[in-house]
Amino acid sequence: MFTPDPRADRWAVAGVAVLLVGYGFGMYARERAAAGGLARVLVASLLRAAVFTAVLAALLPQWKLVFKREGWPEVVVILDTSASMATVDDLKDPAVRAKAEQLVGAGLPREHRLKLAQLLLTRPGADWLDRLLTERRVKVHVFALDVQARRVGTASDTDDAAAVRDALLALPPVGDESYLGDGVEAVAKAFQGGSLAAVVMFTDGVTTAGVSLPTAAEVAGVPLYLVGVGDPWVVPDLRLTDPVFDDTVARGDTLDVHARLSARGAVPPDPARVTLYEKVGDRLVELGHHDVRPKEAGEEVKLTYTPTEVGEKTLVVEVPPVPGEADTSNNRIERRVTVTEAKRARVLFVEGRPRYDFRFAKVLMERESERVAGNKSIEFKTVLVGASPGWSETDKSAVALEAFPTRDQLFGYDVVILGDFDPKQLPQSARALQDLADFVKVKGGGLLVMAGEHHVPAAFADTPLADVLPVVPLDAAPRPTPEDRPLTDGYRPQLTPAGQRHPIFRFSPDPAEAERIWNRLPPLYWYARGYARKPAAEVLAVHPDRPAEGGPGRESHPLALQQFAGAGRVLFLGFDETWRWRFRADEVQFNRFWLQAVRALARARRGKAELRLDPAGPFRRGDRIAVKVGFPDDAPAPGDGAVVKVRVTRAPLPNPDGSSGTGETETQEVVLTRDRTDRRQFEGVLTRTPEGVYRFALVDAEATPAAVVRVLPPATEREQVDLNAPDLAAAAARSHGRFYTLATADEFFTDFKDPDRVPLNEPRPPLPLWNHPAVFGLLLFALAAEWLLRKRDRLL
């Protein structure tokens, strides 16, 4: 359907009008000589133009005379009258203190928060009500808000301001709760569809019930100009978080203890001393310390611990509180660590030919073998299946092929690494492969299998090792890279969430630093194909682009996998170019990868499930508590049908004097669900949380991890007294308004520009002009007058 453009109609009418008026003036210009000059025809030509204009007004646009009324826009001023506004602050912010002294006079602290807001609004010479009425020409509505919003008064001119000012000054800060978000929503809804231009609110931002201010700001539909009444100076707080260290360490080995120290508020700029202690009975024995200058974003803390005795140890990381710090519960981290007897990890490396990974890993482990037994070092032996006769006599770590270990000798090793070789070349290959499988399943040893271009993993397809491998070969034979077509496209394996936490890829205790190291390592080029993962296998790394073979299309090709078989663990690597990681300064990463792989496979199963709460606390009645359980990487993850439960026991809160509280003890179970991205992580949520002492314990665990927290009653108005500047700033930003402190509040009149006048309803319907008698009379008058003038000048 064609719809004409009204702008085109107006231009067409204007064009026609110009042509007709021009025609009238041109006609009289030609007749000026007969009339006796131009002056004699000027009036007549104007009358002819009026006739044409009246005709066009009647026939074409159908003009109307519209009557409009405009009103003043409206501004709502809200004062928080909850009990927290009765706080008398010892103002430490210099600018805010200076402003308060200007309002009150010397001798602070003396007046409470609401009184400061009242004085700011009504002070002589800068009265906000008068300035809004006279400078911004708006209608002002004043509300009080605590449990609900109440109208205090309305001022349309300066005569009304006196009564509103008196009512405003009489407001007391006695409200039992602060429904700040609900109050803003109620006010915005009351003026919905009206002429509300802004909401100005004087508050400390403490919301004890209902929706938050930032949430209300999103639906208010009007800018919020929020004046934070209170001290923006933040109470200093040091916080220790993100502890990262192993729960098992060998005697004489060094345990790296990492954490993050962050600061909030007015923390002194001097470095803080973070100390590592061992808890011995009721005493704390210092093990070391690290001086750190805390930052709001957090600063890494690095400590070390070298145990000299075997057993269970309790380590404490602690930072002393700074002056003025109120909450010291987050200044301390306590963890249990198991110290085991140090021993050499006995490693056997079986390879077909000396690939680069074999050469460099061999040199590394031989170097580790030369270290003293007091360290966690390695006893290393190799079997090179394709070696020349006599090679074992020239190499100190070599074992002759014909002397391949028997079952008993094999069970004396902790880790066996199988490279790319033809298993049929092993002496009594069937027996040797069965012994290798039993080494994993029966003895509980660790097995690392590295794929190659010539044999592995296809060569193990129909052997006893097929049962323990985490992959199923799909091709009958490997597909070597043609020599005339070298690989030119590099790739970087992509770590899965399980791989990011696995020891072999833990290049740094700090997860962020470990990710940076991984992303800067040189790319790899070759990777094995022709296999699929077993259902019970855990994928640690995948190809970034290639889809998996023989599996769901949404999966990526697995390159590093882990599987538990019997009492042991098997790692499979689908690449053999870790030697590229030795480039320049990254040789330490190559060394770390191989040593951590050996130590992870040689480690006895000592890891324990970890139970943690999110957030860590504190909690108030009605808060949701997220329960998370992570299972260690040195044991199989729970099966697909496994049910992970956490038993929650709630006891009454103790009395203020420390005696046991009265009430019943309740017990319930929370069923956790598996994380979609990590088979070892489970999550659940406790939604009903009345006050009490809660103990969370994992059900059916060998060593039951537990967490104990307190759920307290909701904070009252007199308990939450800090200025909630983050919420106020967020609410102002979301509503396109602004947040002020007491010192900057007068900037509101700069930010709040003159609002537009508000159109009101029309007092009467529009008056059509095209058929009005006056227009018809004007047309007759113009025609008659022109006829008389033309007759006078003998132009008829």
Side-chain angles (χ1 to χ4, degrees), residues 221-292:
V222 64
L224 302 183
Y225 296 92
L226 305 175
V227 180
V229 186
D231 197 348
W233 182 84
V234 181
V235 176
D237 182 42
L238 291 178
R239 181 172 58 179
L240 282 170
T241 58
D242 304 333
V244 179
F245 50 93
D246 292 334
D247 57 5
T248 304
V249 62
R251 181 175 63 86
D253 201 357
T254 299
L255 175 69
D256 292 322
V257 178
H258 289 248
R260 183 168 293 276
L261 177 65
S262 56
R264 177 178 176 269
V267 174
D270 302 328
R273 173 157 294 187
V274 182
T275 307
L276 176 66
Y277 298 98
E278 179 184 349
K279 190 175 182 180
V280 181
D282 296 332
R283 297 184 301 111
L284 292 178
V285 179
E286 182 175 346
L287 303 175
H289 62 265
H290 184 193
D291 292 336
V292 181

Side-chain angles (χ1 to χ4, degrees), residues 18-37:
V18 170
L19 288 175
L20 292 176
V21 171
Y23 167 75
F25 277 100
M27 182 186 69
Y28 276 103
R30 292 179 61 186
E31 294 179 334
R32 68 182 182 278

Side-chain angles (χ1 to χ4, degrees), residues 731-751:
R734 294 182 187 182
S735 65
H736 307 288
R738 190 180 165 191
F739 164 62
Y740 309 93
T741 64
L742 205 63
T744 60
D746 287 332
E747 296 177 9
F748 162 74
F749 288 95
T750 302
D751 298 329

Side-chain angles (χ1 to χ4, degrees), residues 283-617:
R283 297 184 301 111
L284 292 178
V285 179
E286 182 175 346
L287 303 175
H289 62 265
H290 184 193
D291 292 336
V292 181
R293 182 169 279 105
K295 302 177 182 178
E296 186 172 354
E299 190 70 18
E300 187 178 9
V301 178
K302 300 179 181 179
L303 298 160
T304 58
Y305 167 53
T306 304
T308 58
E309 298 179 354
V310 176
E312 293 283 338
K313 308 292 182 181
T314 300
L315 299 185
V316 177
V317 183
E318 190 172 49
V319 60
V322 296
E325 185 171 3
D327 182 12
T328 60
S329 62
N330 51 15
N331 291 43
R332 178 184 176 115
I333 296 174
E334 188 171 315
R335 286 285 184 88
R336 295 183 67 85
V337 173
T338 301
V339 181
T340 61
E341 188 61 57
K343 68 173 185 176
R344 286 174 177 253
R346 302 193 66 210
V347 180
L348 175 65
F349 200 147
V350 184
E351 182 58 273
R353 54 192 182 88
R355 294 186 288 176
Y356 282 124
D357 269 357
F358 170 79
R359 296 179 187 180
F360 293 121
K362 177 176 179 294
V363 172
L364 170 66
M365 295 186 195
E366 285 175 344
R367 185 169 69 242
E368 287 290 311
S369 297
E370 296 172 356
R371 299 174 64 189
V372 297
N375 292 326
K376 189 177 182 182
S377 55
I378 295 170
E379 181 180 335
F380 182 67
K381 296 295 180 182
T382 64
V383 175
L384 193 59
V385 177
S388 301
W391 176 74
S392 61
E393 300 174 2
T394 63
D395 192 288
K396 59 183 178 181
S397 65
V399 175
L401 178 62
E402 57 272 14
F404 191 85
T406 63
R407 180 185 177 90
D408 291 340
Q409 292 172 337
L410 192 63
F411 276 35
Y413 288 96
D414 299 298
V415 178
V416 174
I417 304 173
L418 300 182
D420 189 28
F421 65 92
D422 184 358
K424 295 178 182 178
Q425 292 183 295
L426 294 177
Q428 301 182 22
S429 61
R431 177 194 62 81
L433 294 176
Q434 184 61 58
D435 290 344
L436 286 169
D438 291 343
F439 167 77
V440 176
K441 295 189 291 186
V442 178
K443 193 263 181 184
L447 180 65
L448 173 61
V449 180
M450 291 187 62
E453 290 191 87
H454 300 284
H455 300 286
V456 177
F460 293 147
D462 297 319
T463 69
L465 279 178
D467 292 337
V468 300
L469 288 180
V471 298
V472 177
L474 301 177
D475 293 346
R479 292 170 281 181
T481 303
E483 293 185 3
D484 58 342
R485 286 184 291 171
L487 299 174
T488 58
D489 295 331
Y491 73 94
R492 178 175 287 105
Q494 181 177 335
L495 297 181
T496 65
Q500 292 172 356
R501 289 191 300 272
H502 200 279
I504 66 171
F505 296 115
R506 193 180 299 160
F507 294 105
S508 170
D510 181 11
E513 177 63 19
E515 184 178 3
R516 285 192 292 269
I517 294 173
W518 178 256
N519 291 331
R520 77 162 186 255
L521 291 177
L524 309 181
Y525 290 86
W526 181 85
Y527 60 90
R529 309 181 189 184
Y531 63 84
R533 74 170 181 89
K534 289 182 179 178
E538 188 174 19
V539 179
L540 307 179
V542 298
H543 195 283
D545 304 314
R546 182 178 175 84
E549 301 178 38
R554 64 180 181 275
E555 291 188 2
S556 298
H557 182 59
L559 295 177
L561 303 96
Q562 171 180 270
Q563 177 175 290
F564 292 87
R569 171 161 49 169
V570 181
L571 283 174
F572 175 84
L573 300 180
F575 49 85
D576 69 344
E577 295 179 324
T578 60
W579 58 270
R580 296 185 183 274
W581 297 344
R582 300 180 69 252
F583 184 68
R584 293 183 178 175
D586 283 329
E587 181 175 3
V588 64
Q589 312 307 339
F590 171 86
N591 297 346
R592 182 175 286 131
F593 173 82
W594 278 98
L595 293 177
Q596 289 181 166
V598 167
R599 290 167 181 169
L601 291 170
R603 186 175 64 184
R605 294 189 187 177
R606 296 184 179 274
K608 302 174 183 178
E610 179 185 10
L611 187 151
R612 62 187 186 279
L613 306 178
D614 186 22

